[in-house]
Amino acid sequence: MATDSAQQVTLPLLPLTAGVVVPGMVVNLAVESSEARAALDAATGADDLVVLVPRVEGRYATVGTVAKVEQVERLVTDDPSRPGRAVLVRGLARATLGAGVPGAGSAVWIEITTVDEVSPADERTEQLATEYRAVVEGILERRGGRRLAQTINGITDPGALADTAVYSPDYSIEQKVEVLETLDVTARLEKVLEWARAALAELSVKEKIQSDVTDKMEKTQREYVLRQQLEAIKKELGEADGDDVAEQYRTRLAEKGDVGEAVHTAIAREIDRLERTSEQSPEHGWIRTWLDTMLELPWGHRDADNLDLVEARAILDADHTGLEEVKDRIVEQLAVRKLRVERGIEAGDGTTRRGGNGAILTLVGPPGVGKTSLGESVARALGRQFVRVALGGIRDEAEIRGFRRTYVGAQPGRIARAMKEAGSMNPVLMLDEVDKIGADWRGDPSAALLEVLDPAQNHTFRDHYLEVDLDLSDVLFIATANVLDTVPAPLLDRMEIIRLDGYTEAEKVAIARDHLLRRQIEANGLRPDEVVFPDDALEQVVAEYTREAGVRGLQREIGKVLRKTATKVAGGTAPTPVRIDEAALRDALGRRKVFYEVAERTTVPGVATGLAVTGVGGDVLFVEATASDGEGGLQLTGQLGDVMKESASIALSYLRSHAGELGIDTAAFEGKRFHVHVPAGAVPKDGPSAGVTMTTAIASLLTGRPVRSGLGMTGEVTLQGKVLPIGGVKQKVLAAHRAGLTEVALPQRNGDDLEDVPAEVRDAMTFHIVAEARDLLALALEPAPAPAAA
């Protein structure tokens, strides 16, 4: 039968259940089923032609292969009554299957249309064929089939090349049927190329894994043989040292001096275990790791404190501007230590005779005020080692207490590791970001800190890995936090809170001049004599480009200016020294970023300026109120918390019930729906201190009298109009000062808190102490306009 052009013929169907035959393929088939025998018998009346059709999962493929029966042989079977036959067939052409038709004998006859396969001569097909040859060659080389790869390279027809995929053991019968059914040669090449790439990648990974495993096994075996030979050689020379490792640990233990009876007993017991444990046992390595950790801890070693109070205060003042409360507390700690040594309560080497010498200070304040850097300064002033433990984001209790030795890869907790790193039993240990500790199913790290930060317990702190008491009573703990809301109450009870509420503009200029400028000049490769950064330029950066409690943003802005300056100096485009003036600032930093918008925002009735405390310090908070016709009610927007929503309801209820005495027309409430909004809607807000601000904003709306533009306020309000005290007065006042406000209204019971506000801020602002909401409204609202003359 000719196959060079498509034609319709009727041939007997021979089903294939275990493979696929494609054109050009010569294969032996075992004919066992009655259906296959009938097809073979019928082939003699059809020019020895059959159509081979794969059958997968009970269905026939849609495309078969016209094949010629070349040879038939008998097979010996277990059942003599049903002899088997083996047939040699050669695939000639693909054929699409049509309907079954009646035919001679019991065979299944089917109409087929042969497919004229013409391989396209386009560039895409040639590229696919070339890449497929290369990928298949790579697969065969990895399997030792180099001669077969040469055969593949000799196939020039793209269609025949793609059909070689049916020979691969990597593909399933379903994939091979898919190759048979894909009549388009280019599509067939794309399909088998994708499969071949995946097979090559899998072989590469297996080959790498096998290579790594083999290399590791060879290395382990080689080391074992060498160790055995080394031991044999030493034995022959009389230099066997099977117990030298244990003796080395005993020597190190003796050199440590007095480590305490319990610690000495525990270490000696583990050294004895090490002697009895084979070097081939995993436990041998675990014991040595534990011994190394124990012997690296500074048992009994303490740094002598610098007891010169004047020198310590000078170091603190040189490192940090402001922060007087913290500096005073450190000097007090040092003074107590000095008296204890002079009066025999403690030994001069720092060993406590009676009572502990540790302290737990917690620095709370917004980012950038110098909490973390203050720890290093304190350690330098005291003459102690400094070590920092970052607690932000940890969720595992074992990070504090250590991992038990039963676990593979166990290690001490962060506290014990910090003591080892410090090399002293009385370091300054900073617990950074203690307010950002998490908790999950692995435990609560803050609960483990309860023992660490309790002076009554931490002299016997027990790490799960060490399994001996670790004395933390002489450690000076300094914790840092941005807010205290997330710190558990029992942990907070063990801390001495010191608040760092931020800096005034004058303090920021001084910090920039004395610390930040020098640091940034060095960081940008400049010399101090190459740039002049006067105070008025620093003041402009502080006032026009930053509004923050700390100085981190200020440091970034100074860095931008100095990078511009470094570019000019390096390019030789500016003579030195370069003076930083207003034009240089505009060139480096662009237009002004911070504006005083309070006066603009409060020009219309219904807007009041409040003060709030956030995780980044104090801030100014605007409250806007409006009313519209409709069913009465109150709508609140701005992502407010429950407490703040209640404050708005209280404010409206107070004004409605006291409208007469406040000079508000009761008709203004009728048929009105009030809407209170706090801008910056993407930021969650909560707390009671905005109560007076909401009351003032609604009262301003109802009376038509704007709120005085230079006035900020804070305080909680009750249904009876009482103004209750709030927290964070210093941060709020500093925020008001940064925002350009000149007056602040505070609750009466917060009047004494103004002593914490820097004197320069107190002198620049006017403070109003109020006890009743009516007094605040009389103060805050602009006078009512005089009635027009008739």
Side-chain angles (χ1 to χ4, degrees), residues 440-481:
D440 59 14
W441 56 271
R442 291 169 292 186
D444 186 355
S446 62
L449 282 175
L450 294 177
E451 179 184 1
V452 175
L453 299 183
D454 191 342
Q457 302 179 41
N458 62 12
H459 65 287
T460 56
F461 172 71
R462 183 168 286 252
D463 187 279
H464 287 161
Y465 180 79
L466 303 180
E467 295 181 330
V468 294
D469 289 344
L470 188 64
D471 186 2
L472 304 178
S473 60
D474 289 333
V475 176
L476 173 57
F477 290 100
I478 299 180
T480 71

Side-chain angles (χ1 to χ4, degrees), residues 149-180:
Q150 295 175 356
T151 302
I152 296 292
N153 286 333
I155 301 174
T156 58
D157 180 64
L161 182 64
D163 285 342
T164 59
V166 300
Y167 294 96
S168 174
D170 295 319
Y171 309 141
S172 65
I173 184 67
E174 290 82 0
Q175 287 176 300
K176 295 177 181 180
V177 170
E178 197 173 340
V179 172
L180 178 65

Side-chain angles (χ1 to χ4, degrees), residues 343-405:
R343 298 177 182 184
I345 302 175
E346 291 183 16
D349 60 357
T351 304
T352 304
R353 294 183 181 173
R354 233 173 27 248
N357 185 41
I360 297 96
L361 309 180
T362 301
L363 309 179
V364 182
V369 295
K371 300 184 296 298
T372 304
S373 62
L374 187 62
E376 298 183 42
S377 179
V378 169
R380 200 159 67 89
L382 296 177
R384 297 189 183 188
Q385 297 296 320
F386 173 78
V387 62
R388 173 178 168 268
V389 177
L391 299 180
I394 70 167
R395 295 177 174 274
D396 192 349
E397 173 258 355
E399 291 282 353
I400 304 298
R401 289 189 178 277
F403 299 83
R404 298 188 185 277
R405 294 173 62 189

Side-chain angles (χ1 to χ4, degrees), residues 741-753:
L741 297 175
T742 57
E743 300 178 70
V744 173
L746 296 172
Q748 187 177 48
R749 286 166 56 186
N750 284 119
D752 294 340
D753 294 332

Side-chain angles (χ1 to χ4, degrees), residues 400-659:
I400 304 298
R401 289 189 178 277
F403 299 83
R404 298 188 185 277
R405 294 173 62 189
T406 52
Y407 298 109
V408 175
Q411 60 179 343
R414 296 195 180 198
I415 302 299
R417 297 204 303 269
M419 300 293 286
K420 183 176 73 172
E421 181 183 342
S424 167
M425 295 299 287
N426 65 337
V428 174
L429 200 159
M430 172 157 284
L431 302 175
D432 213 5
E433 309 292 358
V434 74
D435 58 326
K436 297 175 181 62
I437 296 176
D440 59 14
W441 56 271
R442 291 169 292 186
D444 186 355
S446 62
L449 282 175
L450 294 177
E451 179 184 1
V452 175
L453 299 183
D454 191 342
Q457 302 179 41
N458 62 12
H459 65 287
T460 56
F461 172 71
R462 183 168 286 252
D463 187 279
H464 287 161
Y465 180 79
L466 303 180
E467 295 181 330
V468 294
D469 289 344
L470 188 64
D471 186 2
L472 304 178
S473 60
D474 289 333
V475 176
L476 173 57
F477 290 100
I478 299 180
T480 71
N482 294 130
V483 294
L484 296 178
D485 301 346
T486 56
V487 181
L491 186 60
L492 201 59
D493 185 58
R494 289 162 166 78
M495 298 174 172
E496 180 178 342
I497 307 300
I498 300 177
R499 296 189 177 274
L500 283 65
D501 292 322
Y503 300 108
T504 65
E505 290 192 0
E507 288 175 331
K508 289 181 181 180
V509 171
I511 292 171
R513 180 183 61 244
D514 300 337
H515 304 284
L516 304 183
L517 190 57
R518 180 175 66 249
R519 193 180 308 160
Q520 286 298 317
I521 287 175
E522 181 180 350
N524 288 284
L526 295 168
R527 293 193 300 267
D529 59 348
E530 291 179 325
V531 60
V532 177
F533 211 132
D535 283 1
D536 58 347
L538 291 173
E539 290 172 2
Q540 187 174 354
V541 174
V542 171
E544 298 183 8
Y545 294 93
T546 64
R547 180 180 289 175
E548 57 178 346
V551 293
R552 196 166 286 156
L554 175 60
Q555 180 172 331
R556 283 193 293 268
E557 299 300 324
I558 293 175
K560 289 181 183 178
V561 175
L562 293 180
R563 283 196 297 274
K564 281 281 188 182
T565 304
T567 303
K568 294 177 181 178
V569 172
T573 59
T576 57
V578 178
R579 183 175 183 83
I580 306 301
D581 53 16
E582 183 175 355
L585 291 180
R586 292 283 185 264
D587 178 52
L589 304 180
R591 62 181 182 276
R592 179 174 182 167
K593 298 177 182 178
V594 176
F595 298 91
Y596 298 119
E597 57 180 351
V598 176
E600 178 184 348
R601 296 284 289 271
T602 56
T603 55
V604 296
V607 181
T609 306
L611 304 174
V613 176
T614 67
V616 294
D619 201 0
V620 170
L621 195 72
F622 293 102
V623 175
E624 301 175 347
T626 186
S628 58
D629 295 334
E631 185 179 352
L634 177 63
Q635 181 181 358
L636 303 170
T637 55
Q639 203 172 164
L640 310 183
D642 291 339
V643 176
M644 210 164 180
K645 290 178 180 177
E646 293 172 356
S647 296
S649 299
I650 292 170
L652 184 59
S653 297
Y654 165 73
L655 293 172
R656 192 189 301 270
S657 61
H658 295 76

